[in-house]
Amino acid sequence: MSTPNQAPQPPPAERSARFLCVPNLSEGRRDDLIDQLVLASRDPEVRLLDRTSDPDHNRTVLTLLGSADGLVRSITALVHAAFDRLDLRLHQGVHPRLGVVDVVPFVPLAGVSMRDAVQLARRLAAQLADAAPVFLYERAAPRPERRELAAHRRGGLPKLIERMRDGSWPPDHGAATVDPARGVLVIGARGPLIAFNVDLDAADPAAARRIASRIRQSAPGGLRGVKALGLALPTRGVSQVSMNVVDPSATSLLRIVERIREEARREGVELLASELIGLMPEQAALGALSEALGLPGLGLDKIVEHHLAATPARATGE
Amino acid sequence: MSTPNQAPQPPPAERSARFLCVPNLSEGRRDDLIDQLVLASRDPEVRLLDRTSDPDHNRTVLTLLGSADGLVRSITALVHAAFDRLDLRLHQGVHPRLGVVDVVPFVPLAGVSMRDAVQLARRLAAQLADAAPVFLYERAAPRPERRELAAHRRGGLPKLIERMRDGSWPPDHGAATVDPARGVLVIGARGPLIAFNVDLDAADPAAARRIASRIRQSAPGGLRGVKALGLALPTRGVSQVSMNVVDPSATSLLRIVERIREEARREGVELLASELIGLMPEQAALGALSEALGLPGLGLDKIVEHHLAATPARATGE
């Protein structure tokens, strides 16, 4: 009700927070190593919002919030730490990858534009060109055929190295020679994306693969804005429909789960649980909840704790 | 990632925010009058989080966040403004009520206890005793038989006046004489509660009443922690199952909607939409979403915007 005239001066990390950056690291098993990488990424203008690791994917996804300068420092240090400590040749995991730091997408938040995020991606790419070949993807890609991450990944690192050698797919920054321990860097700018997985009660990934192939946007009758892969998760003895949901306003998470449930029923397998990798936008969470409850116009402002968290009192530890 | 050493000094309203207060006003039609009441409730140590009015209920629910002192000042001013401007004798609405300011519950938040909320309710009750008879309910009630709001409401204001006259139900504060324009005040302390309504595509409230009678906790096979009434909403030509959900961990909002859908199918009526009056706790929103998506361990920290709102940067308008 009151609007303070004298707003408190925010600390540097908060004052300058403008982008999300979601580096994907090809290491999801050795916690001590992941700890070291996270430590390397620390910066006064960057805040770690989430860290999710999976042993079967053998992958860690960090969600960082920060300023352009802070994120360039943070990711540069993270990449060098990963190059020092990880070796792609030893990596085993079900998730596709091209480097020990596999993809580094920037997402513009309130107050900055996609153009700013593209500029930031290209600035980081230029800065890291001496360390590894760098490819730019999504909105940061110089040409439409380079937009899709899948276009860079096609055939995996061996095929990418071939395409670099024959000159058909030169890196956007750096030399066309690959240190096989490091792999390449793929840096981009994109809108928010939800990494969302649904586990199936079947060790054999065949059903998960068929379901993924039927629900992905590119399939006839597929779900708009959904990219999907079917994978085995041997550690847990289950399989997974692993997804990137790039447009939750076109297809809600609830609709996705319902569709996978229908498809799974036809396959004779059961859904076990869903999983969120990293964060999701408010609109996606509350959109799915609104749909499930038939409750229109549900925003974060309708959640008690949102108002408490918004008070600086909590940040002071009061 | 960074932890500022020099935390900013929060403004008074935030520093002292400790309780939610959810006054229910018996006026939901005349926006100008409601504006005046909201204005009267302003206080530097109180923040208005939500204001929801309904013309059929003819009721407005305010959700205030503030300090004990701030809320006593705010509600005292609100009650006097309501007594000046509203007349219970002219009130027409489908929602039960006993006064122009019908109920004033306090909810303790982090850092304060239920005992503090009880103390606050009794302090406000003593302060308002000269203005109207005051009854204490829920945790602030002096005796178990006075806990349930329904016990005070039984038979409406006419029956309460009779019970006051015959000495069987004396007010907890103030004289046993009622100004019929004002009615009485019912003040209490309670845990979080979700006021949640589901509209049905039937103007006749008979089905809504039967559904309410079957799903409420007190019915055999009823839903734990759910209080329910069936009402007609003539303005919209529909009927409503109007609920207080006092334990969303026992019965999630999703389960409630599913149960009402089953019951409605038996009645041959359709669900139209749900409605939240005021706020809901994070756990209720994310619990229902977790259930709908099969996504365990979903917290507000998984929502991007939650982290942005938590940064003081937004409060400064930067």
Side-chain angles (χ1 to χ4, degrees):
Chain A
M1 207 154 208
S2 70
T3 305
N5 293 321
Q6 291 284 324
Q9 186 66 4
E14 315 309 336
R15 194 165 52 229
S16 45
R18 284 291 176 263
F19 300 90
L20 282 186
C21 182
V22 192
N24 286 226
L25 308 171
S26 296
E27 173 58 58
R29 295 174 186 170
R30 293 171 293 176
D31 279 343
D32 55 330
L33 272 177
I34 302 165
D35 286 346
Q36 289 171 33
L37 298 178
V38 166
L39 204 65
S41 75
R42 288 185 61 150
D43 186 277
E45 292 190 8
V46 172
R47 198 150 50 104
L48 176 66
L49 302 187
D50 188 78
R51 163 185 170 173
T52 304
S53 298
D54 183 277
D56 289 307
H57 287 247
N58 199 4
R59 200 170 174 84
T60 294
V61 176
L62 305 180
T63 306
L64 305 171
L65 171 69
S67 66
D69 290 349
L71 287 169
V72 167
R73 286 192 301 265
S74 170
I75 302 299
T76 300
L78 177 69
V79 164
H80 286 296
F83 285 171
D84 286 347
R85 289 173 179 82
L86 304 181
D87 187 331
L88 194 62
R89 291 167 299 185
L90 308 177
H91 184 273
Q92 291 192 312
V94 296
H95 198 289
R97 71 273 169 188
L98 294 175
V100 289
V101 178
D102 188 53
V103 288
V104 183
F106 290 97
V107 182
L109 296 178
V112 291
S113 65
M114 184 56 80
R115 186 182 295 224
D116 296 323
V118 166
Q119 203 170 36
L120 176 52
R122 292 180 176 169
R123 179 179 153 198
L124 180 69
Q127 170 139 342
L128 290 170
D130 290 341
V134 186
F135 295 87
L136 290 164
Y137 81 114
E138 282 286 339
R139 303 294 289 269
R143 289 185 302 277
E145 71 273 17
R146 294 215 165 199
R147 282 217 168 166
E148 289 279 327
L149 184 55
H152 298 281
R153 282 210 204 282
R154 196 165 299 132
L157 187 58
K159 288 287 178 196
L160 178 64
I161 290 173
E162 274 182 30
R163 295 201 300 276
M164 289 167 74
R165 282 198 184 128
D166 71 19
S168 67
W169 200 265
D172 294 306
H173 289 268
T177 50
V178 176
D179 176 339
R182 298 177 171 187
V184 305
L185 291 164
V186 188
I187 298 175
R190 58 161 174 77
L193 165 162
I194 308 172
F196 183 66
N197 302 328
V198 175
D199 293 345
L200 304 179
D201 188 16
D204 180 344
R209 287 195 182 121
R210 282 191 296 268
I211 293 171
S213 73
R214 290 197 294 260
I215 69 165
R216 67 170 63 112
Q217 168 168 297
S218 56
L223 298 172
R224 262 180 68 201
V226 175
K227 300 178 181 185
L229 281 177
L231 304 168
L233 303 187
T235 301
R236 287 190 261 158
V238 303
S239 54
Q240 184 175 74
V241 180
S242 177
M243 290 166 284
N244 281 339
V245 182
V246 298
D247 188 357
S249 69
T251 309
S252 78
L253 296 181
L254 186 71
R255 175 74 195 107
I256 293 171
V257 171
E258 285 172 348
R259 174 67 186 274
I260 294 177
R261 185 170 287 121
E262 289 165 25
E263 297 285 348
R265 198 172 295 135
R266 287 166 51 183
E267 294 282 347
V269 298
E270 292 284 320
L271 263 59
L272 290 174
S274 307
E275 180 189 32
L276 182 68
I277 307 297
L279 307 185
M280 69 173 134
E282 168 189 353
Q283 207 192 344
L286 296 173
L289 181 59
S290 291
E291 208 178 311
L293 298 180
L295 182 59
L298 185 60
L300 268 191
D301 59 329
K302 285 293 206 173
I303 310 290
V304 175
E305 284 79 358
H306 174 74
H307 298 280
L308 306 181
T311 66
R314 190 153 154 180
T316 65
E318 190 184 289
Chain B
M1 207 152 208
S2 70
T3 306
N5 294 320
Q6 290 286 323
Q9 186 65 2
E14 316 307 337
R15 194 164 54 229
S16 44
R18 285 290 176 265
F19 299 90
L20 282 185
C21 183
V22 193
N24 287 225
L25 310 170
S26 295
E27 173 58 60
R29 295 175 185 170
R30 292 170 293 174
D31 279 342
D32 54 330
L33 272 176
I34 301 165
D35 287 345
Q36 290 171 32
L37 299 178
V38 166
L39 203 65
S41 74
R42 287 184 64 151
D43 186 276
E45 292 188 10
V46 172
R47 197 149 51 103
L48 176 66
L49 303 187
D50 190 78
R51 162 184 170 174
T52 304
S53 297
D54 183 278
D56 288 308
H57 287 247
N58 199 3
R59 199 167 175 87
T60 294
V61 177
L62 304 181
T63 305
L64 305 171
L65 170 68
S67 66
D69 290 350
L71 286 169
V72 167
R73 288 192 300 265
S74 171
I75 302 299
T76 301
L78 177 68
V79 164
H80 286 295
F83 285 171
D84 285 348
R85 290 173 178 82
L86 303 181
D87 187 332
L88 193 63
R89 293 167 297 185
L90 308 176
H91 184 273
Q92 291 193 311
V94 294
H95 199 289
R97 71 271 167 189
L98 293 174
V100 289
V101 177
D102 187 53
V103 287
V104 183
F106 290 96
V107 182
L109 296 178
V112 291
S113 66
M114 184 57 80
R115 184 182 295 225
D116 296 323
V118 166
Q119 203 170 36
L120 177 51
R122 291 179 177 170
R123 179 178 153 201
L124 180 70
Q127 170 139 344
L128 290 170
D130 289 341
V134 185
F135 294 87
L136 290 164
Y137 81 113
E138 282 287 340
R139 303 293 289 269
R143 289 185 303 276
E145 71 272 19
R146 294 215 166 200
R147 284 216 167 165
E148 290 278 327
L149 183 57
H152 297 281
R153 284 210 202 285
R154 195 166 299 131
L157 186 59
K159 287 286 179 197
L160 179 64
I161 291 173
E162 274 181 30
R163 295 200 299 275
M164 289 166 73
R165 281 199 185 128
D166 70 21
S168 65
W169 201 263
D172 294 304
H173 289 267
T177 50
V178 175
D179 176 338
R182 297 177 172 187
V184 304
L185 290 165
V186 188
I187 298 175
R190 59 161 172 79
L193 166 162
I194 308 173
F196 182 67
N197 303 328
V198 175
D199 293 345
L200 304 178
D201 189 17
D204 180 345
R209 287 195 182 121
R210 281 191 297 267
I211 293 171
S213 74
R214 290 196 295 260
I215 69 165
R216 66 170 64 112
Q217 168 167 299
S218 56
L223 299 171
R224 261 182 66 205
V226 175
K227 300 179 181 185
L229 282 177
L231 303 169
L233 303 187
T235 301
R236 290 190 259 159
V238 302
S239 53
Q240 183 174 74
V241 180
S242 178
M243 290 166 284
N244 282 339
V245 182
V246 298
D247 188 355
S249 70
T251 309
S252 77
L253 296 181
L254 186 71
R255 176 72 197 109
I256 293 171
V257 170
E258 284 171 349
R259 174 69 185 273
I260 294 177
R261 185 170 288 120
E262 288 163 27
E263 297 285 349
R265 197 172 295 134
R266 288 166 50 184
E267 292 283 348
V269 297
E270 293 284 320
L271 263 60
L272 290 174
S274 306
E275 181 189 32
L276 182 68
I277 307 297
L279 307 185
M280 68 173 134
E282 168 189 353
Q283 209 193 342
L286 295 174
L289 181 59
S290 290
E291 208 179 312
L293 298 180
L295 182 61
L298 186 60
L300 266 194
D301 59 330
K302 286 293 207 173
I303 310 290
V304 176
E305 284 79 0
H306 174 73
H307 298 280
L308 306 181
T311 66
R314 190 154 155 179
T316 65
E318 189 184 289

